[in-house]
Amino acid sequence: MYSQGLIGADGRTEETPEFLAAFQARVDAEQKIEPNDDMPEGYRRTLVRQIGQHAHSEIVGMLPEGNWITRAPSLRRKAALLAKVQDEGGHGLYLYSAAETLGVTRKQMTEELLDGRAKYSSIFNYPTLSWADIGTIGWLVDGAAIMNQIPLCRCSYGPYARAMIRVCKEESFHQRQGYEIVMTLARGTPEQKAMAQDSLNRWWWPSIMMFGPHDADSQHSDQSMAWKIKRFTNDELRQKFIDATVPQAEFLGLTIPDPELKWNEEKGGYDHGPIDWDEFWRVVKGFGPCARDRVAARKKAWDDGEWVREAALAHAEKRRARKLAVAAE
Ligand code: BYC
């Protein structure tokens, strides 16, 4: 029998050493943890934090790209961008639902985002200054997201792992549409190629920061790896991303803005220059270039949507009352 926790006076499972060991054994045996299973409070909290941050990132991530929908250079580009931004909204909803299975409400998560307790990915605090940025976001940002999220399809928590499967399929389409935009610009006029290079120069470092702090400074990695929430460390994923992306930049004839980027035969991967962690922490702490606009946009959407939530609730309540009345007849 898996559950060896004792039920405490408050009705919650006390985390005895036996309970924790049995939980870990279950994770080690690659059994999926499902919403109604007993789980350590720390495991639940870690997932709420990570899935919540992930959901917020998908929703906030719609803003920098949405900014270009009306200015896309052709109908084909506009239709593709619209579909991509809509996909990101869908990913956010999927993820909020996955987090809700852990006993937190979407309202709580949104309030935490708006008052700064919950984070969203640092990358979405940077502005989209040119059309090339839409290509670069697809290529680099979705590319980094895929690298980070493919292993999450094997996360020990079932609802998160299953949500990631569809999300990754769509992200892979997004990455290709971005790469194709950058390729078109890189093969275009000298001005277009310069636009693509300028975009790469601005997005490269923020993209490799997306993977989070170096392993030595990552507070949560060890425990998250033990619980098989994370399957690779931040630095391992960053390295995989750099190794996959450098040949793509070479193919495009673009230069990655890191003079210290060099193939290291011994390790079988690229060495890179130092990351500006001061910039990273500044952005993570809410002082990124667009941070105020992003949170203000989310607050406006939440406030403007209040009547919709109220109407939906009233409608659901009315239907429930009608069903009860019919059942009572
Ligand atoms: N931005 O101990 P660590 C996407 C925080 S893609 C902001 O290593 P962990 C999309 C971290 O939360 C982006 N904060 O943490 C793509 C922690 O602070 P708290 C979303 C960051 O959790 C294209 C502290 O730093 N993807 O959505 O083990 C278009 C210490 O870090 C960041 C996900 O969220 C950052 N970059 O590892 C549209 C993927 N990095 O919480 C949308 C799921 C670190 O203690 N998340 N921090 O206050 C993850 O895989 C992990 O949470 C991370 C961080 C790798 C991000």
Side-chain angles (χ1 to χ4, degrees), residues 14 74 94 152 180 192 198 203 210 227 246 288 295 309:
E14 278 180 25
S74 69
Y94 245 48
L152 291 175
E180 203 242 336
Q192 286 172 321
D198 168 66
W203 288 90
M210 277 175 74
W227 277 330
V246 173
V295 176
R309 293 191 297 278

Side-chain angles (χ1 to χ4, degrees), residues 49-50 53-55 57-59 61-62 65 84 88 91 117 119-124 137 141-142 144-145 148-149 152 160 171 174 209-214 217-221 224 230 234 237 280-281 284:
R49 180 185 60 79
Q50 178 167 327
Q53 163 175 314
H54 196 164
S57 303
E58 298 281 356
I59 301 291
M62 297 166 80
E65 292 181 288
K84 177 182 193 286
E88 311 295 2
H91 299 171
R117 274 176 294 158
K119 297 188 165 76
Y120 58 91
S121 181
S122 49
I123 194 74
F124 300 118
I137 287 178
V141 177
D142 287 270
N148 168 276
Q149 286 166 196
L152 291 175
Y160 192 26
E171 299 291 24
H174 298 166
M209 289 175 193
M210 277 175 74
F211 295 93
H214 278 317
D217 300 316
S218 167
Q219 301 151 244
H220 305 292
S221 279
S224 289
K230 282 166 92 160
N234 299 354
L237 290 174
F280 172 76
W281 289 116
V284 168

